[in-house]
Amino acid sequence: MVALQDLKRISDYEWEIPKSYREDMRVPVHIFATKRLLEKVMTDRSLEQAVNSATLPGLVGNVLVMPDMHQGYGFPIGGVAATRYPEGVISPGGIGYDINCGVRLLASEISFEEGEAYLDDLVSALDYFCPSGVGKKGSIRMSEKELDRVCRDGSRWTLKQGYASEMDLRRTEEGGCVEGADPSKVSKRAKERGRPQLGTLGAGNHFIEVDVVDQIFDQRAAGAMGLKPGNLVVQIHCGSRGFGHQICTDYVKELQGAVRRYGIQLPDRELVCAPLNSTEGKSYLAAMRCAANYAFANRQVLAHHARQAFEQVFAGKLPNWHLFQVYDITHNMGKIETHVIDGKPVKVCVHRKGATRAFGPGSPELPAEYQAIGQPVLVPGSMGTASWVLVGTETSMQRSFGSTCHGAGRVMSRRKAKKQVRGDKLRQQLESQGIRIRAGSMAGLAEEAPQAYKDVDEVVETVVGAGIASKVARLRPVAVVKG
Amino acid sequence: MKREIAGFREIEHTADWELEVWAPDILELLKQAALGMFFLSGAQLSDGPRLTREFEVTAIDPEGLLVSFLSELLYYGEGEGLGFDHFELSLDGEKLCAQAKGAPFVSLDKEIKAVTYHNLEVRDEPGGLLVRIVFDV
């Protein structure tokens, strides 16, 4: 286990595990955390997992860990690692099973005062229109050919089908479509699982949440995003469903053989990988991009359903009940990007697992309206606590491959949470705080109790202190649909 | 307290689920792992007619067999809404032949996304085999 004395303090918000800590490390690990947050994660295996990640062939810079880190499998959650393109490796375990799990933020012109009387109806309508829970299927029936189009086109497919606007796509990371997706690299089983699930939320920590813009910290950035204090907004958190899970399962299995073929030694089999320029590496990248595009389309269809819910509840009662997109981000993805390392631009594959891309102002990947402020970063809290809208900074480009935190981060096991919290009691408690809840399972609700998570405000203060994001707005929850 | 010769127990894991499974041999280990997985997900099966699914999986080592076998069961769970509580298994070299018997779910608390290879190692212990499995949830 990594101990506090093994770490070198860089600043109040950044620590290093030097390369000398373990013989097989190829690069150091840098952890963005306060001493307090760091001490909290010393009780689980997050840092050991970060050290394991630092053994991957072809790494450049440092392996990074965000302050919402916690123990995962393979990489820790909150891990970021960049490998040189094309000779470095890509690791499915550095991206996760829920490929392109991410968050979308939609905003409205409805004030909390105007909407409050309708919030019970609204949460029921969201629950009705947005299928959620274990094994739920969506309303879209598609052939395998149509699914292949979703794989290739992502949100562009939803635009053609009438589920999206041009503005939605412009305000989605990668425009909602990663180039280079190849459906022929996806198994029949993954397609079978993916076909009925487009437009579904799933279960676990996935949710749709209605929030109020509670506080603005950056008027200019909030203005560019259309966020106004006191107005209702909607967050959608989900990913690529069984489609992505199966693609990751297939390739983690397939790459078990590839590491032997390429003579790669790893401390954990979940870190299996293949060189980006190998047949296996190229196939995984092409299949992963299919799941990424599926997830963009999935959140877009759910956004369409959220709009249907708003229309049902508010149309005819309020003059403007429309939801417009602020941004859509991914926090589980491998992407080919160019970053400046030792003063030179280097093409790399950035693995972000439970970490959000946070590109600074002027990045060509951003839409025109966000060029001056930087990329919006969406950081959901836990049920009952705040969520945050941040923006990427020049420092995040220099220090963290344009990445920052993705949420509050768990601190308590699901087992302990279930022992300490009863789902029905938690629901009553949240409702007494004015947070309406619709949940598929009370046991599932208990596992996601706010006390199972770190303090999201402390996580945000850390990334802001480290300079790898800047505050724009704080959101307060008023209604939650949990899968 | 004396431990049963085969069984499973949940281990603390911050974000996902971890199961410790033990058994005298590999086939019993696979069965106990499956029972443990359905227990963790809170699966309740219907009292109606029993259903059987037969399948084969191949892997070069016991860890691979474990992941492939459990993944196959998850597939039937998601696609057909089926859970299983009885297994007849046989091993022919690297090939596992499985007959899984069960029924449709009446309720299921949690969705398991995947069975991981994280630190997965089937170890020889006094009295049999022991493994810890991390599930992504």
Side-chain angles (χ1 to χ4, degrees):
Chain A
M1 286 279 270
V2 182
L4 206 55
Q5 60 265 28
D6 297 318
L7 304 180
K8 187 175 138 195
R9 183 183 168 280
I10 308 283
S11 74
D12 283 351
Y13 304 103
E14 192 173 345
W15 304 73
E16 182 183 88
I17 305 175
K19 204 176 138 198
S20 57
Y21 171 74
R22 218 171 70 186
E23 256 185 20
D24 56 349
M25 285 173 75
R26 292 174 195 262
V27 296
V29 172
H30 275 221
I31 305 145
F32 293 100
T34 57
K35 194 174 175 200
R36 212 176 91 88
L37 284 172
L38 203 52
E39 281 167 349
K40 275 188 187 172
V41 297
M42 290 290 178
T43 53
D44 76 15
R45 290 183 295 212
S46 328
L47 297 184
E48 186 190 319
Q49 291 177 344
V51 169
N52 289 344
S53 310
T55 67
L56 289 176
L59 284 168
V60 293
N62 303 311
V63 163
L64 305 158
V65 196
M66 297 299 150
D68 49 334
M69 78 188 96
H70 58 75
Q71 181 181 336
Y73 46 85
F75 273 43
I77 307 301
V80 178
T83 50
R84 194 177 292 273
Y85 184 87
E87 65 272 26
V89 298
I90 185 163
S91 171
I95 290 156
Y97 288 86
D98 199 359
I99 297 164
N100 188 5
C101 183
V103 186
R104 178 171 295 226
L105 180 65
L106 305 164
S108 80
E109 295 288 350
I110 303 168
S111 72
F112 175 65
E113 286 71 26
E114 287 172 319
E116 189 179 9
Y118 305 103
L119 284 176
D120 281 323
D121 292 343
L122 182 61
V123 71
S124 296
L126 286 167
D127 194 29
Y128 172 76
F129 280 106
C130 305
S132 65
V134 181
K136 273 284 162 65
K137 293 180 171 58
S139 55
I140 299 171
R141 294 286 165 264
M142 65 169 82
S143 62
E144 192 174 317
K145 220 172 170 181
E146 200 64 30
L147 178 66
D148 286 354
R149 290 193 191 102
V150 175
C151 290
R152 279 190 291 264
D153 299 340
S155 294
R156 288 183 206 151
W157 179 86
T158 63
L159 183 67
K160 281 186 203 143
Q161 304 297 316
Y163 296 117
S165 69
E166 290 283 358
M167 182 178 166
D168 292 341
L169 269 60
R170 194 174 71 241
R171 292 185 169 194
T172 300
E173 191 169 324
E174 295 284 334
C177 179
V178 189
E179 297 298 333
D182 181 353
S184 74
K185 304 299 178 194
V186 175
S187 70
K188 203 164 177 54
R189 175 163 290 187
K191 290 181 183 178
E192 192 186 321
R193 290 179 70 178
R195 273 172 51 200
Q197 292 185 340
L198 194 70
T200 63
L201 191 63
N205 62 353
H206 294 156
F207 62 80
I208 296 181
E209 184 171 292
V210 182
D211 300 271
V212 180
V213 180
D214 199 34
Q215 223 178 332
I216 300 281
F217 295 84
D218 181 337
Q219 291 290 351
R220 181 167 156 256
M225 296 180 200
L227 294 174
K228 293 178 188 163
N231 278 6
L232 297 182
V233 297
V234 175
Q235 292 185 85
I236 300 170
H237 175 220
C238 66
S240 49
R241 309 284 289 112
F243 185 62
H245 308 167
Q246 188 65 46
I247 288 173
C248 188
T249 296
D250 291 340
Y251 278 93
V252 168
K253 185 178 177 188
E254 191 178 322
L255 296 188
Q256 297 292 325
V259 286
R260 286 193 199 96
R261 283 194 291 281
Y262 295 106
I264 299 169
Q265 301 285 325
L266 294 168
D268 178 2
R269 290 176 70 175
E270 191 63 26
L271 288 172
V272 283
C273 54
L276 284 148
N277 56 6
S278 68
T279 308
E280 297 90 340
K282 283 179 191 167
S283 293
Y284 170 67
L285 189 59
M288 185 215 69
R289 287 168 167 167
C290 291
N293 289 338
Y294 181 97
F296 282 132
N298 190 36
R299 286 194 291 278
Q300 185 63 55
V301 174
L302 284 166
H304 170 75
H305 291 329
R307 285 169 170 151
Q308 288 178 309
F310 266 65
E311 182 174 4
Q312 180 175 291
V313 173
F314 293 118
K317 299 185 184 91
L318 296 175
N320 182 359
W321 40 266
H322 298 283
L323 288 170
F324 60 91
Q325 182 140 320
V326 175
Y327 208 60
D328 180 293
I329 57 93
T330 164
H331 50 227
N332 281 3
M333 185 86 109
K335 291 174 85 172
I336 309 301
E337 297 170 359
T338 299
H339 289 274
V340 177
I341 299 160
D342 298 329
K344 288 181 192 154
V346 179
K347 207 170 179 183
V348 289
C349 175
V350 183
H351 298 67
R352 295 188 182 92
K353 186 179 181 187
T356 312
R357 193 186 77 171
F359 280 2
S363 297
E365 291 84 356
L366 302 181
E369 60 266 44
Y370 295 152
Q371 279 290 324
I373 61 167
Q375 182 210 304
V377 171
L378 311 172
V379 184
S382 52
M383 270 183 308
T385 67
S387 294
W388 286 85
V389 181
L390 312 174
V391 277
T393 61
E394 280 170 20
T395 307
S396 63
M397 301 309 287
Q398 293 156 9
R399 300 200 67 82
S400 59
F401 296 109
S403 315
T404 196
C405 64
H406 87 306
R410 285 193 77 93
V411 73
M412 185 192 287
S413 74
R414 294 177 185 277
R415 183 169 179 250
K416 206 174 268 175
K418 268 193 294 190
K419 272 188 177 172
Q420 290 187 7
V421 182
R422 272 186 50 187
D424 53 348
K425 283 261 159 49
L426 174 65
R427 183 181 170 153
Q428 277 173 19
Q429 186 197 324
L430 291 169
E431 293 198 337
S432 72
Q433 294 167 28
I435 304 167
R436 289 102 183 137
I437 303 282
R438 297 289 181 276
S441 138
M442 284 300 119
L445 190 70
E447 285 188 16
E448 295 297 324
Q451 51 268 53
Y453 284 82
K454 292 176 198 171
D455 177 357
V456 69
D457 295 349
E458 192 177 355
V459 167
V460 166
E461 290 302 338
T462 306
V463 291
V464 170
I468 57 172
S470 167
K471 289 181 193 173
V472 177
R474 191 173 189 269
L475 313 175
R476 173 173 62 84
V478 291
V480 185
V481 176
K482 292 288 289 182
Chain B
M1 198 171 73
K2 195 168 175 274
R3 207 152 88 147
E4 299 287 328
I5 56 160
F8 58 84
R9 70 182 178 109
E10 191 180 350
I11 302 288
E12 296 287 339
H13 187 290
T14 318
D16 296 305
W17 281 338
E18 189 164 0
L19 197 65
E20 185 176 84
V21 187
W22 63 93
D25 56 61
I26 183 68
L27 294 181
E28 188 59 31
L29 194 78
L30 292 166
K31 288 179 195 174
Q32 291 296 330
L35 292 171
M37 180 174 80
F38 285 113
F39 172 80
L40 280 184
S41 59
Q44 303 281 332
L45 307 188
S46 87
D47 292 332
R50 304 278 291 168
L51 295 162
T52 302
R53 293 291 176 268
E54 289 181 24
F55 57 88
E56 293 174 358
V57 292
T58 307
I60 53 168
D61 52 32
E63 291 82 8
L65 271 185
L66 193 60
V67 172
S68 296
F69 171 62
L70 296 177
S71 299
E72 197 72 16
L73 298 175
L74 287 181
Y75 163 72
Y76 288 113
E78 183 187 279
E80 299 185 43
L82 291 180
F84 303 97
D85 55 8
H86 185 80
F87 306 93
E88 280 171 30
L89 308 177
S90 63
L91 200 53
D92 178 10
E94 293 178 349
K95 188 169 76 180
L96 176 78
C97 301
Q99 201 180 63
K101 294 178 179 174
F105 295 124
V106 175
S107 66
L108 189 64
D109 283 341
K110 292 289 290 183
E111 180 180 59
I112 294 177
K113 290 178 189 165
V115 188
T116 80
Y117 275 92
H118 178 53
N119 288 340
L120 191 68
E121 188 188 357
V122 176
R123 292 201 317 253
D124 281 314
E125 296 272 314
L129 302 170
L130 182 125
V131 69
R132 283 188 171 189
I133 313 161
V134 175
F135 297 95
D136 183 13
V137 294

